[in-house]
Amino acid sequence: MDITKYQHLQTPFYTYNMDLLNKTLEVCKAEANKYNFHVHYALKANANNEILKAIQAKGFGADCVSGNEVLAAVKNGFSNDKIVFAGVGKSDKEINDALDADIFCFNVESKQELEILNELAQEKNKIASIALRINPNVNAHTHHYITTGLEENKFGINHWEILDVIKLLGVYKNIKLIGLHFHIGSQITDLNVFRSLCIKVNEYVNMFEEQKQAIRIINVGGGLGIDYVNPDEHAIPNFEAYFKLFHQFLEIKNYQEVHFELGRALVAQCGTLISKVLYIKEGLQTNFAILDAGMTELLRPALYQAYHKIENLSNTNTSEKKKYDVVGPICESSDCFGKAIDLPITKRGDYIAIRSAGAYGEVMRSGYNLREANQVNYEN
Ligand code: LLP
């Protein structure tokens, strides 16, 4: 990375490599097209307007989890009939906004939500298409904060409720079941986990069809992980193996469509948080490199003990290295990007890159400590 191009920008800031984003989108699209799979981009990973425009331009659908995400998707050109709306706690206003936008599908997560959606659709004299989010009780083997498909999690409808839900579908006239939805977690790097998911999905689809409920849409969610350790070697995730696995293990009938909701895999590697070193503080065991970026700009390390590769862009001489705890300026001990990180000799004013920050980075920033919102940069 060439730091001269950053010198007019106020640190900290996010920079997005739009070339890499576009290449990633193209590879994903080409691999999904091999099997006629449909991919919705999960806006929660990054809802930056420029990123959204680039993704919709490649023909992706949108996966939204709030009314504002639905509005952002529409505003940035995603076609309404490719928008799905998920989430355990949709408010009445959010549901009404999505009904007004005539979105493709509501992913419904509970019996009570079904009742409310039916009522609100009835008031508008509309029929809402729905997919039921099923909790398949598959362990994603990822960080417990980003595991969603276990019975202990709040997400989805559990198997013991399914027959009740099917009865309700017969009663509620303003909703129409079109599919089933699953999402078991995020940053999943072991593809075997998805194979276990496919096996469960087949069972649930059969169970519904035995109950005379045609399942046209099979939405398997997102969750494909990325390589945080080697972002340059694996800049584009292995979409080929990922989609092939679903093709191999899902039993798909000719009237069924398979849908995906990918977030991280599409946007993580194109984003970098650029920061400057404010101070170096020498300790007995380790040195601290205190940055002008903190957990307010990138929360993942503090919240999930997530690893992001850290690089000194100003000094690339790796022949002499020291260990640094790379920390932010926020008054919290968890405001730390990495402990005992080997870096070239680092000094005040050096530019530091925190890599793979395009997903769940900018979008999760906060104003804690009255931090200012940052600039954003786009490059090719
Ligand atoms: N679909 C549903 C229903 C989801 O809940 C999520 C993510 C996705 C799709 C997209 O998953 P992805 O392909 O990005 O893994 N903030 C955490 C990740 C939270 C994921 C929440 N749900 C992090 O920084 O690791």
Side-chain angles (χ1 to χ4, degrees):
M1 281 173 148
D2 168 17
I3 55 170
T4 53
K5 64 187 174 192
Y6 299 144
Q7 275 156 2
H8 64 290
L9 290 160
Q10 179 71 42
T11 54
F13 61 88
Y14 275 92
T15 185
Y16 294 107
N17 179 337
M18 299 307 275
D19 261 358
L20 177 59
L21 173 64
N22 281 315
K23 282 196 192 105
T24 307
L25 296 171
E26 279 157 22
V27 174
C28 176
K29 197 82 197 170
E31 294 300 332
N33 283 350
K34 282 186 183 167
Y35 312 108
N36 285 325
F37 288 165
H38 300 249
V39 183
H40 301 265
Y41 166 61
L43 267 78
K44 64 175 83 65
N46 189 321
N48 173 310
N49 287 329
E50 294 308 310
I51 302 270
L52 293 186
K53 283 193 193 99
I55 296 176
Q56 80 76 25
K58 300 277 185 213
F60 285 76
D63 162 38
C64 303
V65 283
S66 72
N68 284 342
E69 283 191 0
V70 173
L71 299 178
V74 172
K75 188 181 92 184
N76 285 289
F78 286 90
S79 74
N80 301 42
D81 60 2
K82 282 188 181 175
I83 296 177
V84 300
F85 182 17
V88 283
K90 305 178 187 76
S91 72
D92 294 17
K93 176 172 184 312
E94 290 177 313
I95 292 176
N96 279 324
D97 284 348
L99 285 168
D100 290 339
D102 289 321
I103 62 164
F104 169 61
C105 189
F106 289 81
N107 294 339
V108 174
E109 306 226 9
S110 67
K111 285 196 279 189
Q112 195 164 29
E113 185 189 336
L114 210 57
E115 178 191 340
I116 300 304
L117 177 58
N118 183 61
E119 260 175 45
L120 296 175
Q122 194 175 16
E123 282 168 18
K124 291 185 184 287
N125 219 358
K126 291 195 171 191
I127 298 190
S129 293
I130 66 154
L132 290 172
R133 176 165 182 183
I134 306 291
N135 184 339
N137 201 24
V138 171
N139 194 338
H141 297 294
T142 180
H143 191 280
H144 60 285
Y145 280 11
I146 50 177
T147 290
T148 49
L150 288 175
E151 279 165 11
E152 69 203 48
N153 298 128
K154 66 182 173 181
F155 300 99
I157 291 167
N158 286 309
H159 64 90
W160 58 86
E161 299 173 297
I162 287 180
L163 290 180
D164 273 4
V165 168
I166 291 180
K167 275 196 205 120
L168 292 174
L169 292 173
V171 178
Y172 297 148
K173 299 298 175 208
N174 291 75
I175 48 182
K176 181 175 187 301
L177 180 73
I178 60 168
L180 297 184
H181 172 230
F182 304 82
H183 173 79
I184 51 173
S186 198
Q187 183 53 15
I188 297 170
T189 49
D190 175 3
L191 287 186
N192 286 317
V193 167
F194 292 116
R195 190 171 55 193
S196 309
L197 171 65
C198 288
I199 292 162
K200 287 284 176 121
V201 170
N202 294 337
E203 284 173 16
Y204 281 104
V205 172
N206 288 337
M207 184 192 291
F208 273 79
E209 297 214 317
E210 276 162 19
Q211 300 288 323
K212 306 278 174 277
Q213 303 289 330
I215 299 301
R216 190 168 63 77
I217 307 296
I218 301 172
N219 182 335
V220 294
L224 176 61
I226 61 130
D227 190 343
Y228 282 97
V229 179
N230 302 300
D232 295 315
E233 291 83 337
H234 297 133
I236 299 183
N238 192 347
F239 293 112
E240 184 184 1
Y242 174 68
F243 290 123
K244 188 171 172 195
L245 183 137
F246 283 92
H247 172 70
Q248 277 178 325
F249 292 99
L250 277 182
E251 293 160 8
I252 306 157
K253 303 183 188 85
N254 56 10
Y255 57 88
Q256 290 174 330
E257 288 178 8
V258 184
H259 289 228
F260 293 80
E261 299 171 341
L262 291 175
R264 185 189 322 261
L266 297 175
V267 294
Q269 298 292 27
C270 76
T272 303
L273 176 61
I274 305 284
S275 174
K276 263 192 198 171
V277 178
L278 290 174
Y279 303 104
I280 298 291
K281 201 164 142 175
E282 288 182 9
L284 282 178
Q285 307 281 341
T286 167
N287 300 300
F288 292 97
I290 303 169
L291 307 187
D292 61 6
M295 63 195 286
T296 41
E297 283 66 46
L298 181 65
L299 184 59
R300 303 193 69 257
L303 192 57
Y304 318 111
Q305 300 81 47
Y307 173 83
H308 286 259
K309 188 170 184 189
I310 300 171
E311 292 167 349
N312 185 331
L313 301 179
S314 304
N315 181 5
T316 51
N317 176 4
T318 51
S319 60
E320 198 189 347
K321 283 187 166 182
K322 267 191 179 174
K323 285 200 189 306
Y324 297 89
D325 282 9
V326 180
V327 301
I330 307 301
C331 299
E332 299 272 349
S333 297
S334 60
D335 184 29
C336 175
F337 291 116
K339 286 201 186 302
I341 306 292
D342 275 321
L343 289 176
I345 303 304
T346 296
K347 57 181 195 324
R348 173 175 163 83
D350 283 356
Y351 280 86
I352 300 291
I354 304 178
R355 304 288 308 275
S356 316
Y360 307 106
E362 192 193 341
V363 85
M364 287 175 78
R365 72 188 177 183
S366 79
Y368 182 41
N369 286 195
L370 289 189
R371 298 276 288 174
E372 282 182 26
N374 324 106
Q375 273 181 293
V376 176
N377 182 52
Y378 306 94
E379 55 190 284
N380 285 323

